[in-house]
Amino acid sequence: MTLRAPGVAIKVQYKAVETGKSSLNAEFKIDGSSNVLYPSVVPLILEISSSVKDVVGEPDSQVQQQTTEHRPFTSKFMSDDRFRAADPSAIFQNCTLNLGLWIWKQDFGLSCQPIARVAATAQIDTIYVTANTTQFAEHDNSFTLSSSFAGLRVSLQHSYSRESSGGFEVRSAVVSLMNSKHLGAPNGISAIAQVSPMKIHVNAKQLQDFLLFREIWLPADLEKSKKGAGPSPSSEPQAYIVQRYQHIASASAFPWNVTLSIAKLDFQIDLGQSLGKTGFAIFELWVSSTKSSDWEQNLCLGMEVVSLDATGRMSGFVTIKGVNVRTTIRWPVGETVTFKAPLIQASAKFDVMRIKTAFEYQAFLVAEMAGFRLLMYNVRSRRIGHSDRLVGALELSTLHLFATTTSASQGFALYQAFERLIQEKQTAYQASLKELEKVLRRRSTINPQTLKLASEQVEEATKSPVRESIRLQTNVMVSMGTVNIGVFPSTFFDTQIFRMQALDASAQFSVRLEKDRLHSVLDLALGQLQVALSGIAKPEGRRSAGQVSLQDVLASVNSSRGGTILKVPKVVATMRTWQAPGSTQIDYIFKSAFQGKVDVGWNYSRIGFLRGMWDSHVRALASRLGKPLPPSALQITAALTEDGQSELAPQEKITAVVNVPQSKYQYTPLEQPIIETPQLRDMGEATPPLEWIGLHRERLPNLTHQIVIVSLLELAREVDDAYSKILGSS
């Protein structure tokens, strides 16, 4: 090992005057240097790290665990008064300090030769750091620190390859650190960082180079020395995550106001000929974190545009505009020893999201969402014995989603392409490891089978038993303005589309433990639902499948007319259930109402066309899966005459049969269910009952519970479990 120290120049000047004021000026200059380390230094690094660990001395894990169990969590590392009364003037007094550090170009490399032909290099052109004392009031000095660097580049490349395996580049960055008093706030730290466009590129075709580099420079012994001899996750006391965070973040020595701004984050990945190239970019990214006291912290994040673009066999884009996220956490004042769950609030929104996905040069999915808003917060009950309440609200103005009958098969084909890529890289990596093991004479520390077995053991150790009851009160509200979903028979240039449009849809779900029984409430409202097989004007000009535009698809769908199969007016439904934990007995109250008349326009020709679309979907997906699909739960049949032709008379009968698995629940209505029979606009009071087409009204409450409420209860149990693990109580 050979290291070359760069040249160093130092200049120091101290001045003192009779008035008691003084100044210290110092400048340090470090010349450029270039150094390369080889794998032979790895044992030395391991020995040094082991020696440092022996000198520092780590406490025994059992003793540390006992100490942790008998010692309550404290919320401060330093006294509030001690920090807030700290005066920077006591350190500098009447001395003016000006320090400067200038570092010229530095090159550093980690080579894998002679074991492998892979090397990592890091370069930085200039680093400039200044530290100054500033006076913002009479006899009140403070300290500021600023630094800037330019030309940071990190890359990993194989000696025999013209392309880099991966790299990272930052043109310039500026960081400023000062006392919060400059901003009119109490003592604290204010920091701001501005980073020029960052570029990251990864060549997935040479992923084995990254794995080989990690195998050589980060062996298992080095990773263990970094992790230390702390207790394993299975033996570690189950302290809550937020409780640990409070124990660290509530130290009054660190009230902060930190802002980070990145002009652009550009991430490029080359997936090879099997998939193509993908680029991920974030424009105008900013992050702001504020801690104004020991009990409240805020984090805000904003992104002007987030884009994902893919070219090649896998192509398309995802564009999100106007992304904002805000989180707040607040601990109850004075409740530090007896830990209680903090109050949290999280909100997220974006203005518009556009998606287009294509595989094998054929688009199969386009979508657009606008006006997304998400709010989540918890409420602590002040009544003894009552659990916390978690509230979530989601709002979506518009959703447009369009696909083809082959979308499912193409999506699965895309998934298979990723699987094959991963298998190819693992095979290449295993071949390289065989040569590596001959040189190092040791087994690989990154055996995929070992990693899989270890992850399964950790998952089994951390798996918590399933709870039947739900202690956390959960309230969820969902509101959507316009939902437009359509399916084309084969391509987005077809002249017909099967579409479903829903207006002013909303849902509210709540669950709580009431007198040792789970009480759930589900409220559903739908302004209007329309299902149609509409015709579309044939687009002008001839276009290929890869020339699909999101705007063109939206325009063609909006221009579609006619073909109404079903049009339902405003529908309101409410269901309340009571269930003892672990019991299959369900007591319920169900009410539903139609505020208008129903339009029905289906006939055998339209049903036949939809059957053809469904058969195309089944055949395409079955060919990809390599096995037939199970039969559909919905079967629609039409009456036929003796000669085998369909009855096209107005009184023809089309029957819908829904195959539902046998339920394990027993249902008992507390009140007579109110289920209104919809009236057809053309028939009025002469409308036949739903049983005429094969639908039984008395099964509607059972289906609503089995399909909707049971799924929501399972989700509520998972939320309750996560809430208890993260926040500590519910």
Side-chain angles (χ1 to χ4, degrees), residues 37-264:
L37 295 181
Y38 294 92
S40 57
V41 78
V42 173
L44 178 61
I45 296 176
L46 295 176
E47 184 178 352
I48 293 175
S49 64
S50 178
S51 301
V52 171
K53 188 170 67 173
D54 293 339
V55 171
V56 174
E58 297 185 352
D60 184 57
S61 59
Q62 297 180 356
V63 176
Q64 185 178 8
Q65 180 176 352
Q66 295 176 0
T67 306
T68 306
E69 292 176 354
H70 296 286
R71 181 183 61 195
F73 278 94
T74 58
S75 63
K76 296 174 170 51
F77 293 142
M78 296 179 60
S79 171
D80 287 348
D81 298 334
R82 179 180 176 184
F83 174 77
R84 293 193 174 107
D87 186 7
S89 302
I91 301 175
F92 305 107
Q93 295 183 357
N94 293 326
C95 180
T96 301
L97 184 66
N98 295 291
L99 302 178
L101 174 63
W102 198 349
I103 303 177
W104 288 78
K105 185 176 182 179
Q106 302 292 323
D107 293 342
F108 186 75
L110 296 176
S111 176
C112 296
Q113 293 185 3
I115 302 175
R117 299 288 181 177
V118 180
T121 59
Q123 299 177 351
I124 188 166
D125 293 341
T126 58
I127 301 176
Y128 187 63
V129 182
T130 61
N132 310 91
T133 55
T134 57
Q135 184 174 359
F136 54 89
E138 187 176 359
H139 305 294
D140 197 357
N141 291 339
S142 184
F143 188 73
T144 62
L145 178 69
S146 62
S147 64
S148 64
F149 67 85
L152 174 62
R153 295 176 295 275
V154 180
S155 64
L156 180 72
Q157 187 168 355
H158 195 280
S159 301
Y160 297 151
S161 175
R162 296 181 180 180
E163 300 178 353
S164 174
S165 301
F168 172 76
E169 180 181 355
V170 179
R171 295 181 182 177
S172 63
V174 179
V175 180
S176 180
L177 185 69
M178 66 184 69
N179 194 309
S180 299
K181 282 189 173 182
H182 285 285
L183 305 176
N187 265 344
I189 297 175
S190 294
I192 184 170
Q194 185 175 8
V195 184
S196 67
M198 301 172 58
K199 295 182 180 180
I200 304 172
H201 71 275
V202 175
N203 191 347
K205 297 180 295 184
Q206 301 176 1
L207 183 62
Q208 63 272 14
D209 293 344
F210 287 97
L211 301 177
L212 283 175
F213 181 83
R214 183 177 65 173
E215 181 72 21
I216 295 173
W217 283 98
L218 296 175
D221 297 336
L222 183 57
E223 292 182 356
K224 290 180 181 179
S225 65
K226 288 183 178 180
K227 297 178 182 178
S232 62
S234 59
S235 62
E236 187 179 358
Q238 295 296 324
Y240 304 120
I241 298 176
V242 174
Q243 188 176 1
R244 301 176 190 173
Y245 178 70
Q246 183 193 16
H247 181 57
I248 298 174
S250 62
S252 56
F254 294 97
W256 65 71
N257 182 4
V258 180
T259 302
L260 171 65
S261 175
I262 301 177
K264 181 182 178 182

Side-chain angles (χ1 to χ4, degrees), residues 487-523:
V487 180
F488 289 84
S490 58
T491 68
F492 291 105
F493 302 112
D494 291 333
T495 57
Q496 279 188 306
I497 178 175
F498 174 65
R499 58 181 297 188
M500 181 187 71
Q501 185 180 48
L503 303 178
D504 299 330
S506 63
Q508 295 185 13
F509 176 76
S510 63
V511 58
R512 69 177 184 271
L513 194 61
E514 182 181 277
K515 297 180 181 180
D516 296 330
R517 294 203 305 173
L518 286 179
H519 175 40
S520 63
V521 180
L522 176 64
D523 294 325

Side-chain angles (χ1 to χ4, degrees), residues 572-588:
V572 179
T574 301
M575 186 172 186
R576 300 172 179 267
T577 64
W578 289 265
Q579 177 187 7
S583 174
T584 58
Q585 178 63 38
I586 307 296
D587 298 334
Y588 71 90

Side-chain angles (χ1 to χ4, degrees), residues 274-528:
S274 60
L275 290 173
K277 297 182 179 180
T278 302
F280 175 76
I282 300 177
F283 297 87
E284 301 298 335
L285 168 65
W286 61 269
V287 181
S288 177
S289 176
T290 304
K291 177 188 172 185
S292 57
S293 66
D294 298 339
W295 311 110
E296 183 175 355
Q297 297 176 30
N298 297 278
L299 176 66
C300 299
L301 180 145
M303 293 172 282
E304 184 176 342
V305 178
V306 180
S307 65
L308 178 67
D309 294 290
T311 57
R313 192 181 176 203
M314 177 188 68
S315 61
F317 63 85
V318 177
T319 304
I320 309 175
K321 296 183 179 180
V323 181
N324 292 104
V325 179
R326 180 179 179 180
T327 61
T328 301
I329 182 169
R330 179 190 301 171
W331 282 274
V333 178
E335 301 179 7
T336 57
V337 178
T338 304
F339 181 80
K340 293 186 177 180
L343 297 177
I344 60 171
Q345 179 177 333
S347 60
K349 73 99 175 176
F350 62 80
D351 295 334
V352 62
M353 174 191 290
R354 296 184 175 93
I355 301 173
K356 173 190 170 183
T357 307
F359 185 62
E360 293 179 344
Y361 307 99
Q362 183 174 0
F364 64 87
L365 179 68
V366 294
E368 181 182 68
M369 289 184 287
F372 176 85
R373 303 290 185 273
L374 175 65
L375 174 64
M376 183 181 66
Y377 62 91
N378 66 335
V379 179
R380 294 185 55 198
S381 176
R382 297 184 179 181
R383 301 175 62 183
I384 300 176
H386 286 69
S387 59
D388 297 349
R389 182 162 58 97
L390 183 65
V391 181
L394 186 147
E395 180 182 352
L396 185 63
S397 298
T398 59
L399 170 62
H400 301 285
L401 178 64
F402 305 105
T404 65
T405 55
T406 59
S407 294
S409 63
Q410 286 180 295
F412 185 74
L414 181 60
Y415 171 76
Q416 289 178 323
F418 273 101
E419 277 194 332
R420 286 192 295 268
L421 177 64
I422 295 174
Q423 291 176 358
E424 290 174 1
K425 300 310 168 187
Q426 287 180 347
T427 303
Y429 174 58
Q430 293 296 332
S432 301
L433 276 184
K434 292 181 180 179
E435 299 296 329
L436 181 63
E437 290 171 359
K438 294 179 182 178
V439 178
L440 297 180
R441 295 181 180 179
R442 62 173 173 85
R443 279 291 186 183
S444 169
T445 62
I446 319 177
N447 191 339
Q449 298 298 331
T450 305
L451 289 178
K452 182 178 180 181
L453 180 61
S455 62
E456 292 177 354
Q457 293 176 352
V458 172
E459 183 179 356
E460 185 67 24
T462 57
K463 188 176 181 179
S464 58
V466 179
R467 293 183 302 173
E468 293 292 340
S469 62
I470 301 176
R471 294 174 296 180
L472 179 67
Q473 301 182 41
T474 307
N475 297 83
V476 180
M477 295 163 284
V478 179
S479 175
M480 292 185 287
T482 301
V483 178
N484 198 358
I485 300 176
V487 180
F488 289 84
S490 58
T491 68
F492 291 105
F493 302 112
D494 291 333
T495 57
Q496 279 188 306
I497 178 175
F498 174 65
R499 58 181 297 188
M500 181 187 71
Q501 185 180 48
L503 303 178
D504 299 330
S506 63
Q508 295 185 13
F509 176 76
S510 63
V511 58
R512 69 177 184 271
L513 194 61
E514 182 181 277
K515 297 180 181 180
D516 296 330
R517 294 203 305 173
L518 286 179
H519 175 40
S520 63
V521 180
L522 176 64
D523 294 325
L524 299 175
L526 182 61
Q528 179 179 310

